[in-house]
Amino acid sequence: MESSAKGRSRHVELDLDQLVELQPGLGRLMPEVGRRYWILFYAAQGGNWELARYQWRELQSLFGMAATLRPKMAVHLRSFQTSTMLDLERALEIRSWPDFERAFRDGIELANRLHVATNHAEIRWVLPAEPPLDLDLGPAPSDRS
């Protein structure tokens, strides 16, 4: 019998199978997706396009991670990326609030349809009525006159 690859920290030694089991599933990743999507909206609305672009990039990374960790959901995640995320990227590039808002709200509808399609109709994401209070969502210092 072959021994499994192991990794060690000063606290613990884990084999590869244990490390794989520790990877987050969608139940842990999607709350972060929701928070970043929330920040994305209010950053763009407040004119902090740099922060909005940062949130967009982080969302892309999370979708990639989620598709790797849950391959049966990859087709749904990629459909969001090739529609909503692409439309948001275009709006961010030209800093168009009307285009951004339309793409963002279409994304909420798509996300909720995808929840239904993946047998999670109980999950309905809504944009919080207030922006997060822990971030300055106004224009970035480089954009302030």
Side-chain angles (χ1 to χ4, degrees):
M1 177 186 280
E2 290 184 37
S3 63
S4 182
K6 294 192 182 282
R8 181 185 340 234
S9 75
R10 61 188 175 115
H11 303 289
V12 67
E13 180 176 284
L14 299 172
D15 66 33
L16 188 56
D17 290 335
Q18 289 171 310
L19 290 171
V20 168
E21 284 298 318
L22 292 174
Q23 299 309 301
L26 295 185
R28 285 185 41 209
L29 292 174
M30 285 298 148
E32 184 174 352
V33 167
R35 176 159 170 79
R36 288 188 182 279
Y37 204 66
W38 174 31
I39 295 168
L40 171 68
F41 179 86
Y42 283 108
Q45 184 183 58
N48 193 334
W49 296 101
E50 288 180 36
L51 178 59
R53 279 193 298 272
Y54 173 73
Q55 296 304 320
W56 183 91
R57 287 189 307 273
E58 291 297 309
L59 283 162
Q60 289 288 70
S61 177
L62 285 167
F63 286 132
M65 183 186 312
T68 298
L69 293 169
R70 296 297 182 265
K72 76 178 190 177
M73 296 298 177
V75 66
H76 303 294
L77 294 161
R78 287 194 185 103
S79 73
F80 193 86
Q81 286 180 289
T82 59
S83 58
T84 296
M85 293 299 285
L86 190 57
D87 292 343
L88 288 171
E89 180 183 31
R90 290 181 189 129
L92 289 167
E93 284 176 5
I94 61 172
R95 297 181 175 200
S96 170
W97 172 249
D99 292 344
F100 177 90
E101 185 177 25
R102 183 174 31 263
F104 186 93
R105 294 193 186 280
D106 288 349
I108 293 172
E109 291 178 23
L110 176 56
N112 289 327
R113 284 195 312 270
L114 290 171
H115 290 145
V116 171
T118 58
N119 297 315
H120 285 288
E122 73 279 10
I123 300 172
R124 291 210 32 89
W125 195 84
V126 296
L127 175 65
E130 299 294 325
L133 300 175
D134 59 340
L135 294 168
D136 177 357
L137 299 167
S142 61
D143 290 337
R144 293 181 182 150
S145 305

